[in-house]
Amino acid sequence: MSSILRKPHWLGMGGVALAAMVLTAVLFGPVLLNPNDFYFNPGGDMLQSYYVTAFYAMFDEGARFTGMNYPYGEHFNYPNLQPLVAATMGFLQRHGVPAARYTVGITNLLALSSLVITPGVLYAVLRRTRLPVLYAGLLALIIGFMSPQVLRLDGHLSLSYAWFVPWLWYCIIRMQEAPSRWRWYAVFIGSILLIGAVMPYFLALGCAFLLGHVLVLAWQQPAMRRWLGRLVLAAVLPLLLFRGYLWATDHVTDRPPNPYGLLVFVATPSTVFMPIVGPFHDWWQEQWPSEGDSVEGYAYVGLVSTLALAASLVLGTAVVLARRQWRRLGRPAVPLHLRTGLWAASLLLIFSFGVPFKWHGFGWLTEHAGQVKQFRSLGRFAWPFYYVGTTYTAYCLYRLWRYLRLRRLGALALMGVTLLLFWGVEAWLQVTEEAAKVMTSTGASAFLDPATNLISRLTWNNRRISDFQAILPLPYYNIGTDKFDLSGSGQSIFQAYKASATSGLPLLANHTPRSSVGQALQHVQLFSSPMVPKELLAHFPNNKPLLLLVTPDYLTEAEQRLVSLAHLLVQTPEASLYELPVAALAATALPRERAKADSLLRTLKARPGGIVATTPAGVLVQGFDKAPDRRGRLGAGAFYEPKDQFSTLYDGPVPAPADTGRYEASVWINGQTAYGFGNMRVKMYYADGHGAESVVDSRKANEVQGDWVRIVVPFRVQPGLQRIEVLYENHDLLADDLLIRPVGTDVYYYTGTGTRRRLIKNTYPLTP
């Protein structure tokens, strides 16, 4: 096989790359002419990628990213900044090359370069599959431009490098061809570590693909068993090195252990074998509608490959059964690397479907999936199957063409041209649709231009950027823990990214996957009521004011309160800037509330249990003091349910059945438990048989005290209400201090004894 890559074939690879360059220029010509002016997507993960990469390159170095999650920052492997790319740009920036200013153009061009590199790598794979030069070149272009990762150009740039997966497969092929030589083991390890420095998903995917080969070779190739230890080492060592690197450099200990999406972001047979975009997809949906498929599972192999794989499975099985050659059932007559690649990729394909986690009775396995859950988008593990499945199809079509030619069936052999033409049309339709998407948004050259920065207008009020310590955007966003879902608005995110990247002021907001839960609790607490001291302020490095950046969107009551504490500096149609003193944010209502309580408690009569209410209305306080779990909030005892189910916190009559009007049920849940916040609901049952229900999404909560989050469900009591249920749906639920009261009625009571006795108002402690 070493003769395959002689000089003429390197020339063939160069020809494929040249053809790919021409096609890329035709498809993305305007972007290539002015790459810095196109947003491949002006929002979501794409905009975040532009921002975090630019901020790191301009203001950070090492393993810490300081642009978000102020004042803590974040390990630079977690934001979507492609660490290797950002670090290289930062090096150039520090040595006089203004790379950061052109982050949009650089990252756009790097993504488009994959369209040129991928066909070249696929050509090398196809040539090692013993396919002719011209045929291999044509199929390399079709397979490369139809890659499912091309569809990531408008969503997740760090996942759009389509050449990574076939290159790792090429390394595995070379290891199988010469298992006694260390060269390709070293190339694989070095490649996958560099790839992991761009996007860790590729590291996990490549190592899993190689381990799949180990299993297949151990089963099918006894002669290879003596070399399997080397293959295992090549697969495991990068994972260990990456984990060791994170252990040594990432000091956050409370990242969410169960991120959302393990059984949601999966592939399905329709995302792999049926059209996913374009007119064929539209026609298919009209005939056989399907819903709920995740874009994370897109790995469409094309209809030609779908038919070829299905025909091979049916015919191959029929021949084996007819001849009773049982050992050949899993050993098709194809080159070794194609056979082992098919099996290994098929194992990953099954895994990408969520198997075995989604099988009934395997919930226990999901609970103990550990690090697998951190790679929550299992659908991406279908990508190797795309490249192996399409390469196998190319091989089968060529062998079928030769078979028909040898039997002088030239007319039938020409049918292959029709199949290739159809395959090429599918690839063209898919890539042109993606090209149209990424060229719809222009004006990106102004994104990192300081002259267009809103913050530059601070000079109108004789203020400077250095007068402030961070930017607090409103509407506020804090996304990434899979506990809170405070998503802000498109405008607040856009304006905040732009202002931060061009000024160097970090953001007192966060959009980082798997970020610290404790730090998120402190950030969200800034929007809690004045009854709650703001713990984050003690971690600020100075007393400089915050810069509120407020876009003309709907603001919550808590956000409006912060604006009321601030002083307007600049007002424009895009956004307004306010100065928010730290002292104003730190002030609480506790002294005033204690004085008010002292006055009221002298005049109000205590009810059974020591409860005092400001109106005659009925109220209910449940502290769960006698519960078996002793991890209480204000005292020992809390409700705990480890299973994923509806838990009944209260089931009984309204505290005072004669009362009507607006009520609320509230409870505090622990934010540091293993799963998200779930949802809380109140069910109402009336005498005439009808019912009603009120539900809240707990991820929207912003009332935080320590590790506890207050969830409130408002509901209305109508005449005839006989019974209510307060239910909480969650996994690993730890809840305490349930309160049911009419809105407008305050409830006071004491907890603890002696020196630990504390006065409580509406479940908030008024005394330390």
Short mmCIF file of all heavy atoms in Angstrom, two decimals, residues 468 470-474 546-550 559 562-567 576-580:
data_model
loop_
_atom_site.label_atom_id
_atom_site.label_comp_id
_atom_site.label_asym_id
_atom_site.label_seq_id
_atom_site.Cartn_x
_atom_site.Cartn_y
_atom_site.Cartn_z
N PHE A 468 -15.41 52.08 35.59
CA PHE A 468 -16.33 50.99 35.91
C PHE A 468 -15.56 49.68 36.01
O PHE A 468 -14.48 49.53 35.44
CB PHE A 468 -17.41 50.89 34.84
CG PHE A 468 -18.19 52.17 34.65
CD1 PHE A 468 -17.76 53.13 33.73
CD2 PHE A 468 -19.32 52.42 35.39
CE1 PHE A 468 -18.45 54.32 33.57
CE2 PHE A 468 -20.03 53.61 35.24
CZ PHE A 468 -19.59 54.55 34.33
N ALA A 470 -17.30 46.44 35.61
CA ALA A 470 -17.91 45.39 34.79
C ALA A 470 -19.21 45.90 34.19
O ALA A 470 -19.76 46.91 34.63
CB ALA A 470 -18.18 44.13 35.63
N ILE A 471 -19.68 45.18 33.18
CA ILE A 471 -20.94 45.49 32.50
C ILE A 471 -22.00 44.51 32.98
O ILE A 471 -21.78 43.29 32.97
CB ILE A 471 -20.79 45.39 30.98
CG1 ILE A 471 -19.76 46.40 30.46
CG2 ILE A 471 -22.13 45.58 30.28
CD1 ILE A 471 -19.40 46.21 29.00
N LEU A 472 -23.14 45.03 33.38
CA LEU A 472 -24.28 44.20 33.75
C LEU A 472 -25.38 44.42 32.71
O LEU A 472 -26.03 45.46 32.69
CB LEU A 472 -24.79 44.56 35.14
CG LEU A 472 -26.03 43.80 35.65
CD1 LEU A 472 -25.78 42.30 35.66
CD2 LEU A 472 -26.42 44.28 37.04
N PRO A 473 -25.58 43.45 31.79
CA PRO A 473 -26.58 43.63 30.72
C PRO A 473 -27.99 43.33 31.20
O PRO A 473 -28.22 42.39 31.98
CB PRO A 473 -26.14 42.63 29.65
CG PRO A 473 -25.44 41.56 30.41
CD PRO A 473 -24.81 42.20 31.62
N LEU A 474 -28.94 44.11 30.75
CA LEU A 474 -30.36 43.90 31.00
C LEU A 474 -31.13 44.00 29.69
O LEU A 474 -30.90 44.95 28.95
CB LEU A 474 -30.90 44.94 31.99
CG LEU A 474 -30.25 45.00 33.37
CD1 LEU A 474 -30.89 46.11 34.20
CD2 LEU A 474 -30.33 43.68 34.10
N LEU A 546 -20.90 49.60 38.72
CA LEU A 546 -21.19 48.74 37.57
C LEU A 546 -21.79 49.58 36.46
O LEU A 546 -22.44 50.60 36.71
CB LEU A 546 -22.16 47.64 37.97
CG LEU A 546 -21.70 46.69 39.08
CD1 LEU A 546 -22.82 45.72 39.42
CD2 LEU A 546 -20.44 45.94 38.68
N LEU A 547 -21.59 49.13 35.23
CA LEU A 547 -22.17 49.81 34.08
C LEU A 547 -23.36 48.98 33.60
O LEU A 547 -23.18 47.89 33.06
CB LEU A 547 -21.13 49.95 32.97
CG LEU A 547 -21.56 50.78 31.74
CD1 LEU A 547 -21.83 52.22 32.14
CD2 LEU A 547 -20.49 50.72 30.65
N LEU A 548 -24.55 49.48 33.85
CA LEU A 548 -25.75 48.81 33.35
C LEU A 548 -25.91 49.10 31.87
O LEU A 548 -25.89 50.27 31.45
CB LEU A 548 -27.00 49.29 34.08
CG LEU A 548 -27.24 48.87 35.53
CD1 LEU A 548 -28.66 49.25 35.93
CD2 LEU A 548 -27.04 47.39 35.71
N LEU A 549 -26.07 48.05 31.07
CA LEU A 549 -26.35 48.19 29.64
C LEU A 549 -27.76 47.66 29.42
O LEU A 549 -27.99 46.45 29.53
CB LEU A 549 -25.32 47.43 28.82
CG LEU A 549 -25.33 47.67 27.30
CD1 LEU A 549 -23.96 47.38 26.70
CD2 LEU A 549 -26.37 46.80 26.60
N VAL A 550 -28.68 48.55 29.13
CA VAL A 550 -30.11 48.20 29.08
C VAL A 550 -30.62 48.39 27.66
O VAL A 550 -30.57 49.49 27.12
CB VAL A 550 -30.93 49.06 30.06
CG1 VAL A 550 -32.38 48.60 30.08
CG2 VAL A 550 -30.32 49.02 31.45
N GLU A 559 -35.34 43.36 37.38
CA GLU A 559 -34.44 44.15 36.54
C GLU A 559 -34.81 45.64 36.60
O GLU A 559 -33.91 46.50 36.64
CB GLU A 559 -34.52 43.63 35.10
CG GLU A 559 -33.90 42.24 34.94
CD GLU A 559 -34.24 41.58 33.62
OE1 GLU A 559 -35.22 42.01 32.96
OE2 GLU A 559 -33.54 40.62 33.25
N LEU A 562 -33.26 47.28 39.65
CA LEU A 562 -31.86 47.65 39.51
C LEU A 562 -31.71 48.95 38.71
O LEU A 562 -30.88 49.79 39.04
CB LEU A 562 -31.06 46.53 38.84
CG LEU A 562 -30.86 45.24 39.63
CD1 LEU A 562 -29.81 44.37 38.97
CD2 LEU A 562 -30.46 45.53 41.06
N VAL A 563 -32.51 49.09 37.66
CA VAL A 563 -32.45 50.33 36.88
C VAL A 563 -32.84 51.53 37.77
O VAL A 563 -32.24 52.60 37.68
CB VAL A 563 -33.38 50.24 35.65
CG1 VAL A 563 -33.44 51.58 34.93
CG2 VAL A 563 -32.89 49.15 34.70
N SER A 564 -33.80 51.32 38.65
CA SER A 564 -34.23 52.42 39.53
C SER A 564 -33.14 52.83 40.51
O SER A 564 -33.17 53.95 41.03
CB SER A 564 -35.50 52.01 40.29
OG SER A 564 -35.21 51.03 41.28
N LEU A 565 -32.19 51.94 40.77
CA LEU A 565 -31.10 52.26 41.68
C LEU A 565 -29.94 52.96 40.97
O LEU A 565 -29.00 53.41 41.63
CB LEU A 565 -30.56 50.97 42.33
CG LEU A 565 -31.53 50.17 43.20
CD1 LEU A 565 -30.89 48.87 43.65
CD2 LEU A 565 -31.99 50.98 44.39
N ALA A 566 -30.01 53.03 39.63
CA ALA A 566 -28.88 53.51 38.85
C ALA A 566 -29.15 54.91 38.31
O ALA A 566 -30.27 55.43 38.35
CB ALA A 566 -28.60 52.54 37.70
N HIS A 567 -28.09 55.50 37.75
CA HIS A 567 -28.14 56.86 37.19
C HIS A 567 -27.89 56.79 35.69
O HIS A 567 -26.90 56.21 35.24
CB HIS A 567 -27.08 57.74 37.87
CG HIS A 567 -26.89 59.07 37.21
ND1 HIS A 567 -27.87 60.04 37.17
CD2 HIS A 567 -25.82 59.59 36.53
CE1 HIS A 567 -27.43 61.10 36.53
NE2 HIS A 567 -26.18 60.85 36.13
N SER A 576 -29.23 51.80 26.47
CA SER A 576 -28.92 52.90 27.39
C SER A 576 -27.88 52.42 28.40
O SER A 576 -27.84 51.23 28.75
CB SER A 576 -30.18 53.36 28.13
OG SER A 576 -31.15 53.84 27.21
N LEU A 577 -27.06 53.36 28.86
CA LEU A 577 -26.03 53.06 29.84
C LEU A 577 -26.37 53.76 31.15
O LEU A 577 -26.71 54.95 31.16
CB LEU A 577 -24.66 53.50 29.35
CG LEU A 577 -24.15 52.86 28.05
CD1 LEU A 577 -22.80 53.45 27.66
CD2 LEU A 577 -24.05 51.35 28.20
N TYR A 578 -26.26 53.02 32.25
CA TYR A 578 -26.53 53.56 33.59
C TYR A 578 -25.34 53.26 34.49
O TYR A 578 -24.66 52.24 34.34
CB TYR A 578 -27.77 52.90 34.20
CG TYR A 578 -29.08 53.21 33.54
CD1 TYR A 578 -29.46 52.57 32.36
CD2 TYR A 578 -29.96 54.13 34.10
CE1 TYR A 578 -30.69 52.83 31.77
CE2 TYR A 578 -31.19 54.40 33.52
CZ TYR A 578 -31.54 53.75 32.36
OH TYR A 578 -32.76 54.01 31.77
N GLU A 579 -25.14 54.12 35.44
CA GLU A 579 -24.14 53.89 36.48
C GLU A 579 -24.84 53.35 37.72
O GLU A 579 -25.75 53.98 38.27
CB GLU A 579 -23.41 55.19 36.82
CG GLU A 579 -22.37 55.03 37.92
CD GLU A 579 -21.67 56.33 38.23
OE1 GLU A 579 -21.81 57.29 37.45
OE2 GLU A 579 -20.98 56.39 39.27
N LEU A 580 -24.42 52.16 38.16
CA LEU A 580 -25.02 51.53 39.33
C LEU A 580 -23.97 51.42 40.43
O LEU A 580 -23.06 50.58 40.34
CB LEU A 580 -25.57 50.14 38.98
CG LEU A 580 -26.14 49.32 40.15
CD1 LEU A 580 -27.32 50.06 40.79
CD2 LEU A 580 -26.56 47.94 39.69
#
